[in-house]
Amino acid sequence: MATAVEFTLNGNAVAAIAEPGETLLSVLRNRLGDTSPKAGCLQGTCGACTVLVDGEPVLSCLLLADAAAGRHVETVRGLAQGPQLHPLQEAFMERFAAQCGFCTPGMLMAAKALLDHNRNPTRAEVIEAISGNVCRCTGYLPIIEAILEAARRLSARG
Amino acid sequence: MRIRKEMFADERRDDLVLIGKPIRRQDIEGHVTGRTQFFDDHLVPGLLHIRCVRSSEHHARIRAVDTREAERVAGVRRILRYADLPKKAHNILTIFNFGIDDEPALADGKVRYRGEPIVAIVAESLRAADEAVAKVRVDYEPLPAVFDVEEALKPDAPLVNEYIGRNWFRYWGDYDCQQIRFGDVEAGFRQADLVIEGRYQMSPIEHAPLETNGCIVVPGEDGRFTVYTCTQGLHFSLDNVAAQLKLDTNRLHFIGGTVGGGFGGKVDTVVEPLAVLAAMLTGRPVRYVFSRAEEMQVSSPRGAERVYITDGVTRDGRILARKIVHYHDAGAYSRLSTYGTIKSAAHHPGPYYIPNVWVDSFCVFTNRTPSSAMRGFGVTGGDFALESHMDVVARAIGMDPLEFRIKNAYRDGDMKAHRKLTEGAALIECIQVAAELAHWPLSEEARRASSRIGGGGERAQIPPTPKARTRLAEPRARSAALEARRTAAAGPSRAITPPPAWTGGGEPTAGRERVEAERLRTAEPSAPPEQRPPEPPRPTHSHGALRFSSVFGSRRR
Amino acid sequence: MPLQLRTTDTLSEAAALLASERAARFLGGGTLLMRAVNEGDVSFSVIVRTRDPAFARMRTAGTRIELGAGVRMAQILASRDLAFLHPAARAIGGPAVRSMATIGGNLFAEHPYGDFTVALLALDARVQLASSLGVRELALEEFLRARGRSERVLVSGVSFERPADPSAFRFHKMTRTHPKGAAVLTIAALVPLIGGRIVGARVAYGAMAPTPMRARAVERALEGRPLTAEGIAAAVAVAAEGTDPPTDALASSWYRRRVIGVMLRRLLLGET
Ligand SMILES: Cc1cc2nc3c(=O)[nH]c(=O)nc-3n(C[C@H](O)[C@H](O)[C@H](O)COP(=O)(O)OP(=O)(O)OC[C@H]3O[C@@H](n4cnc5c(N)ncnc54)[C@H](O)[C@@H]3O)c2cc1C
Ligand code: FES
Ligand code: FES
């Protein structure tokens, strides 16, 4: 039996119907129209569906939608403040950290999970933070550089 | 980035506006804000979903497919089968009048690789489709399978693809391989101080794009179908779907161009035909997307390539003759491998001036996943073999591998084995700069070498070239194959006819040169050398090879 | 059959549901179970989960550590008391997998997974099984032996003795891809030293047999020896004894047998 799930999505209260067994990824994309998290594998291996739930990175393709009930869900759509892009977004643009762009939303959310807790990550910590995210285009280096650059900008801002 | 003006003073202008300057991708803002729309981001209500029943066998005749239980699964709307296909077999290059229609979109009574689609379930949900897939019973009669390119070319190998009729693709009507003949390699080997052979093998490589192959098809009121797709070749795919479904092209409206990673793996147009057909037959919007497992197993990889290289060299490092036998593993169907094979021949013998060259590039069919385009297919595998062999030969004659390359590199004015004069050569300069950056010591002579000096003259000539066409022995099962092709739907016949005699029958190639000697024969080995090169083989069909480049954006060489 | 979802308030209700429904599977963090759903596994149609607070409880202060089966890898990593287990928890996937993956689910993870279980095996953990009749306890090794045959039991938690000296606990996972990947092999070892000699060694392997296993021959060969290159030589020599490693896309059985001794030596000598 389908049930209603309520949570906040990028700060806004939302409600959606979910079938039993329906994942958060499916509800975000198909029911709430936020297609920013991507379905790259539906098996947990690619990280393209990464979103934050109460600040923690999760694989939305493997999380039952109602496990998000009453919690705070963040996607890339909520990263910018109005027209002002998040430093991660700016750095990704400047450092050519996206080619086809399919991994980008998941990468950005994995990176945000890191920077929200740690404004001065080491390179090793950055690599660890995105170790569950696959990128087939860039070879990762520009992504790592972009995250380090964003961290510098964030900590400079204080 | 900088242009070495000291080397190429007149090569480029100084006022370049893009090269060497950072630039933003035009689509990157969409990527970082999650607004870029990939095919699956077009939200369409009321979708039906496709999942295929796939072969568990590498090679088998299908005795029966029982879908009765699957049809009863709640939510199943239609099961597509071979009988539903408007065109029974297709190859994506035949729209250019090249190649042979050799692949049914759903199994034609036989499966030729593991994972081949047999029937397609169209259902209200993926769950329902999965349940139905689990309930389809396929009765297989396993056939002997062949997985190795050289095994596949033996006369008694199991015949993989009846549409092709033999386990290799025949080029231009009458060539068993794509071949290059330039000078006389046997004579070159006789003059050489050393003859060095090598065997190089590449494994298949999956592109593994982050976005799997897929599309969404929406039937419109006007009888047109809107197709949101990940294809890399929007118009190429449209034309192919139209051909395969026997539709006028104006009934298809393809929307795409945003590809979640392609790398060559998204030109095959494998999902669109079945999805459009399902939409035609149900009148409903249909989504067909490969699961990750399907993407890894059945989307075409870069094919396995095996390359034999034999070089005749002098002690002081001149390559006098190079003979290459290159096998492309096309898997069970052509897809684009027939073209990849042409590319490999076009790329050999590498960027080196060699007065005697022999290249045989075979497109071979095996019971492996059909392979296809991937980033310089044919060329990359060839280069891996060529450059590995350059190192091996350099070591064998005790020469520095970079010096050895500089010594043999094309210079402007050199005649290539393809009978084109070299222009704009720059390999020597690239090596010099790379050596400098890597602090790799080069001799004075190598440092002074230039692509502009030393070419042409005698090296501009086309040497006398004996005619020699490589012929493979026809498979024993060939006439059975032709029979089978006529009755493909009912399952091919297995009658075996006696092997035809070897064609040709000249003497085996020289003693030192063992590669392929027992199996390949040259048709006219003792014909007197011609002064003029033979006419390049004319395509029996019009514009084949010419048009590929414009489709895939790869440069002609 | 469309999927059904059942949520219970208590572990014993969940256990009863699992026992009574053949088509039911228990949901931990779902990193494997939801993957099966997504990949078209139609062998089950009921998903059972529980809200029982005991399921995710951690008791880490005393000498006997008790962890609910629903404890996630990220919780282990957030616990200072469990610092010695951080390398094992960090070996499981990337951060997003770790914020979902439970230790209970890890006990069921099939080859090449189950890295945390290898650590628990070296700690000689005991497994609590919930049923409508109450809780039963058994040794992890015994649990693993029966695992294939007891699909529909419910694990409520694990418990184990805190190592007196945390540095006596060692963990290493060898992967082909870096920084993360599935195991070529995994080794966990507890090598307590008394007067410079190893006393009560326990060594466990992952990916060296169909389930995580104890390396008994190695343990015997370590007993009473110093933790030096010479001291462990006999143990390294028998490193592959009793193993039955699978051949898979990551490594062949032959290769796993060949490198286990090398990795064991490095782990024991602190060279990993
Ligand atoms: C990308 C990726 C990387 C991974 N990397 C690793 C790795 O490096 N190492 C590793 O060990 N694992 C790895 N895994 C596998 C998996 O995430 C872990 O093994 C995890 O601990 C499984 O726990 P879970 O809670 O997610 O299990 P679930 O998916 O919830 O369950 C797995 C199985 O166990 C059963 N089950 C779960 N909990 C219980 C319980 N309490 N009682 C009875 N049955 C139960 C379920 O019914 C199911 O059959 C990886 C998975 C993914 C997707
Ligand atoms: S789609 Fe969720 S991890 Fe790949
Ligand atoms: S940019 Fe294409 S996968 Fe990362």
Side-chain angles (χ1 to χ4, degrees):
Chain A
M1 210 187 49
T3 50
V5 192
E6 295 177 32
F7 53 90
T8 64
L9 175 58
N10 298 323
N12 303 314
V14 294
I17 300 291
E19 294 291 335
E22 187 165 348
T23 60
L24 179 61
L25 177 66
S26 170
V27 164
L28 287 172
R29 290 177 55 86
N30 301 321
R31 311 216 181 241
L32 297 169
D34 182 347
T35 54
S36 63
K38 303 294 176 213
C41 68
L42 301 178
Q43 51 172 235
T45 40
C46 77
C49 66
T50 305
V51 302
L52 307 192
V53 175
D54 289 347
E56 290 303 312
V58 299
L59 300 168
S60 63
C61 71
L62 298 180
L63 191 73
L64 284 175
D66 70 352
R71 301 169 76 183
H72 297 279
V73 178
E74 291 171 68
T75 70
V76 162
R77 290 278 169 88
L79 218 45
Q81 301 296 314
Q84 182 56 51
L85 293 181
H86 188 278
L88 274 166
Q89 291 172 308
E90 287 173 348
F92 266 57
M93 286 170 66
E94 286 162 21
R95 303 253 163 177
F96 216 109
Q99 286 184 32
C100 80
F102 205 78
C103 70
T104 313
M107 284 289 179
L108 285 167
M109 296 320 283
K112 178 166 194 285
L114 171 73
L115 299 190
D116 281 352
H117 299 127
N118 181 356
R119 293 247 159 135
N120 275 309
T122 62
R123 198 178 181 87
E125 285 167 334
V126 169
I127 292 172
E128 175 63 41
I130 59 167
S131 63
N133 295 70
V134 174
C135 176
R136 289 289 293 162
C137 302
T138 62
Y140 301 101
L141 276 179
I143 296 175
I144 295 164
E145 297 297 343
I147 296 171
L148 287 167
E149 172 66 28
R152 278 192 292 273
R153 289 188 198 172
L154 276 166
S155 50
R157 266 192 219 172
Chain B
M1 232 270 324
R2 106 188 134 93
I3 289 157
R4 295 274 177 149
K5 284 288 177 184
E6 68 276 21
M7 291 168 172
F8 299 107
D10 48 352
E11 198 61 35
R12 287 262 201 284
R13 293 173 19 222
D14 284 321
D15 54 350
L16 299 175
V17 288
L18 288 177
I19 292 180
K21 310 213 163 76
I23 185 175
R24 258 184 207 180
R25 297 179 63 96
Q26 60 163 16
D27 54 2
I28 202 161
E29 186 156 354
H31 292 348
V32 302
T33 54
R35 303 269 167 201
T36 299
Q37 274 198 309
F38 296 89
F39 83 87
D40 205 23
D41 297 333
H42 295 273
L43 300 175
V44 177
L47 281 177
L48 296 176
H49 301 263
I50 292 185
R51 276 276 214 250
C52 284
V53 174
R54 296 187 177 277
S55 170
S56 60
E57 306 301 309
H58 295 290
H59 196 192
R61 190 190 314 276
I62 295 175
R63 289 203 202 91
V65 182
D66 181 352
T67 57
R68 280 170 299 182
E69 257 193 86
E71 283 156 31
R72 284 200 290 273
V73 171
V76 170
R77 289 288 162 264
R78 175 98 197 193
I79 299 183
L80 306 180
R81 327 154 190 274
Y82 179 72
D84 294 316
L85 302 177
K87 185 181 172 196
K88 296 304 181 191
H90 185 69
N91 171 257
I92 46 179
L93 292 177
T94 56
I95 61 167
F96 303 141
N97 297 327
F98 178 86
I100 295 172
D101 286 322
D102 69 342
E103 181 170 4
L106 293 167
D108 59 4
K110 199 182 139 175
V111 282
R112 301 175 177 86
Y113 68 97
R114 188 161 160 187
E116 180 161 2
I118 297 171
V119 296
I121 311 278
V122 189
E124 297 284 349
S125 67
L126 275 175
R127 172 91 184 169
D130 285 331
E131 282 181 26
V133 166
K135 290 197 160 128
V136 172
R137 300 274 162 273
V138 182
D139 183 7
Y140 299 100
E141 177 193 332
L143 298 171
V146 60
F147 304 111
D148 180 275
V149 281
E150 290 180 81
E151 290 299 316
L153 294 183
K154 291 186 175 157
D156 51 0
L159 179 67
V160 174
N161 188 318
E162 290 74 10
Y163 301 92
I164 301 288
R166 51 180 77 78
N167 287 345
W168 65 94
F169 185 77
R170 187 163 270 180
Y171 282 92
W172 322 117
D174 201 28
Y175 285 79
D176 284 340
C177 56
Q178 184 74 9
Q179 60 178 51
I180 300 172
R181 301 290 180 265
F182 185 71
D184 182 343
V185 280
E186 295 303 332
F189 291 145
R190 281 192 295 274
Q191 287 162 28
D193 296 324
L194 266 163
V195 175
I196 299 157
E197 292 176 35
R199 175 187 188 271
Y200 303 91
Q201 174 75 49
M202 285 225 323
S203 294
I205 302 172
E206 167 54 35
H207 316 75
L210 213 53
E211 171 202 61
T212 61
N213 269 281
C215 69
I216 291 172
V217 180
V218 185
E221 299 291 312
D222 50 1
R224 294 180 86 204
F225 297 89
T226 302
V227 182
Y228 301 98
T229 161
C230 71
T231 182
Q232 284 179 256
L234 203 67
H235 298 279
F236 177 72
S237 289
L238 186 152
D239 285 344
N240 267 295
V241 174
Q244 212 169 337
L245 299 181
K246 300 192 173 168
L247 291 175
D248 288 333
T249 48
N250 63 9
R251 294 197 49 205
L252 297 171
H253 177 200
F254 271 48
I255 296 177
T258 303
V259 182
F263 320 117
K266 285 179 177 163
V267 262
D268 281 1
T269 321
V270 277
V271 287
E272 295 89 343
L274 285 182
V276 176
L277 181 61
M280 285 168 69
L281 295 177
T282 60
R284 298 265 306 269
V286 174
R287 176 175 179 269
Y288 179 20
V289 182
F290 277 177
S291 70
R292 175 52 55 186
E294 286 177 306
E295 184 69 35
M296 301 308 279
Q297 195 196 344
V298 304
S299 79
S300 9
R302 177 197 290 281
E305 294 173 39
R306 181 174 303 160
V307 186
Y308 291 90
I309 306 179
T310 310
D311 277 359
V313 282
T314 59
R315 291 236 170 262
D316 68 347
R318 279 237 165 268
I319 308 174
L320 298 182
R322 171 167 283 179
K323 177 166 183 176
I324 295 172
V325 182
H326 191 137
Y327 301 97
H328 291 255
D329 189 341
Y333 298 106
S334 307
R335 304 257 172 117
L336 293 168
S337 291
T338 44
Y339 168 53
T341 306
I342 295 175
K343 284 176 32 133
S344 82
H347 187 67
H348 287 312
Y352 305 106
Y353 174 74
I354 301 171
N356 303 288
V357 174
W358 169 301
V359 179
D360 283 349
S361 271
F362 295 90
C363 176
V364 187
F365 297 89
T366 65
N367 293 107
R368 294 172 68 161
T369 308
S371 63
S372 197
M374 185 196 205
R375 299 209 151 168
F377 64 137
V379 172
T380 319
D383 266 337
F384 153 68
L386 288 169
E387 296 308 322
S388 301
H389 200 62
M390 290 297 286
D391 288 341
V392 168
V393 173
R395 202 175 306 130
I397 59 173
M399 197 165 166
D400 176 279
L402 295 190
E403 304 247 348
F404 178 55
R405 285 176 171 83
I406 287 176
K407 184 151 200 159
N408 290 284
Y410 276 138
R411 282 138 168 92
D412 283 350
D414 286 346
M415 179 58 71
K416 299 184 187 182
H418 315 89
R419 291 158 176 79
K420 280 205 151 188
L421 284 174
T422 305
E423 307 167 41
L427 176 60
I428 291 172
E429 288 72 13
C430 285
I431 296 176
Q432 287 165 338
V433 172
E436 190 184 307
L437 293 173
H439 306 294
W440 184 283
L442 287 182
S443 69
E444 182 59 28
E445 190 191 344
R447 265 184 285 131
R448 275 211 315 266
S450 159
S451 293
R452 309 272 165 105
I453 303 167
E458 207 175 298
R459 293 164 55 131
Q461 304 308 309
I462 296 169
T465 303
K467 268 194 175 161
R469 181 177 304 189
T470 298
R471 273 271 176 247
L472 296 177
E474 285 295 321
R476 287 173 222 254
R478 173 153 156 71
S479 50
L482 289 176
E483 167 67 17
R485 195 167 151 189
R486 257 175 261 127
T487 57
S493 149
R494 274 211 306 177
I496 298 221
T497 47
W502 287 96
T503 35
E507 49 216 60
T509 35
R512 271 187 303 184
E513 200 277 304
R514 293 187 310 277
V515 178
E516 299 305 307
E518 28 6 329
R519 198 161 42 69
L520 304 183
R521 303 294 159 108
T522 50
E524 296 129 298
S526 50
E530 273 189 318
Q531 288 313 307
R532 274 168 42 88
E535 282 291 293
R538 292 228 174 274
T540 44
H541 304 299
S542 50
H543 38 254
L546 261 170
R547 294 263 311 264
F548 298 137
S549 46
S550 53
V551 173
F552 305 115
S554 44
R555 264 187 306 138
R556 282 190 74 207
R557 294 178 183 252
Chain C
M1 283 271 281
L3 275 173
Q4 293 173 43
L5 197 56
R6 306 276 181 78
T7 309
T8 72
D9 287 326
T10 65
L11 280 161
S12 65
E13 284 169 276
L17 258 179
L18 273 181
S20 64
E21 287 252 21
R22 248 173 31 96
R25 291 287 179 284
F26 186 75
L27 180 77
T31 56
L32 293 171
L33 195 76
M34 290 306 291
R35 165 193 258 190
V37 169
N38 290 344
E39 295 203 317
D41 182 344
V42 291
S43 65
F44 59 92
S45 56
V46 181
I47 294 178
V48 179
R49 59 184 174 169
T50 185
R51 288 193 267 257
D52 196 328
F55 186 58
R57 191 169 295 152
M58 298 170 69
R59 288 213 176 84
T60 58
T63 56
R64 184 110 196 135
I65 294 168
E66 290 176 33
L67 303 175
V71 167
R72 290 151 211 276
M73 300 301 158
Q75 283 172 271
I76 307 262
L77 284 168
S79 161
R80 289 235 189 109
D81 290 338
L82 299 179
F84 68 102
L85 277 173
H86 287 184
R90 205 175 292 115
I92 314 290
V97 168
R98 295 197 294 266
S99 48
M100 305 171 77
T102 65
I103 58 174
N106 202 266
L107 299 180
F108 290 87
E110 285 178 12
H111 173 86
Y113 293 149
D115 299 313
F116 199 77
T117 306
V118 178
L120 291 176
L121 201 52
L123 293 166
D124 205 19
R126 295 185 67 76
V127 178
Q128 284 115 40
L129 300 182
S131 77
S132 42
L133 304 173
V135 173
R136 185 158 64 89
E137 233 191 45
L138 77 172
L140 174 55
E141 204 177 4
E142 213 180 308
F143 168 85
L144 289 171
R145 227 175 281 133
R147 187 174 75 181
R149 283 168 275 137
S150 57
E151 226 177 15
R152 282 154 47 229
V153 300
L154 178 61
V155 173
S156 53
V158 297
S159 67
F160 49 89
E161 215 58 48
R162 168 190 301 285
D165 170 14
S167 73
F169 183 77
R170 311 279 176 84
F171 180 89
H172 181 67
K173 174 174 167 184
M174 177 188 179
T175 63
R176 281 186 52 171
T177 50
H178 296 275
K180 282 296 144 64
V184 168
L185 55 86
T186 302
I187 313 176
L190 186 71
V191 279
L193 292 175
I194 298 182
R197 309 253 153 202
I198 301 168
V199 178
R202 282 198 299 265
V203 177
Y205 293 161
M208 290 303 292
T211 62
M213 61 171 280
R214 283 275 290 272
R216 301 277 180 201
V218 171
E219 293 175 357
R220 278 192 301 271
L222 287 175
E223 207 54 35
R225 303 291 175 84
L227 200 49
T228 60
E230 301 76 50
I232 65 164
V236 169
V238 297
E241 223 179 275
T243 64
D244 175 20
T247 288
D248 58 22
L250 301 171
S252 66
S253 179
W254 174 88
Y255 179 74
R256 288 186 157 107
R257 272 181 217 272
R258 285 296 291 247
V259 294
I260 184 76
V262 178
M263 299 318 283
L264 178 68
R265 180 170 47 74
R266 291 187 190 164
L267 178 73
L268 293 177
L269 298 180
E271 293 170 359
T272 50

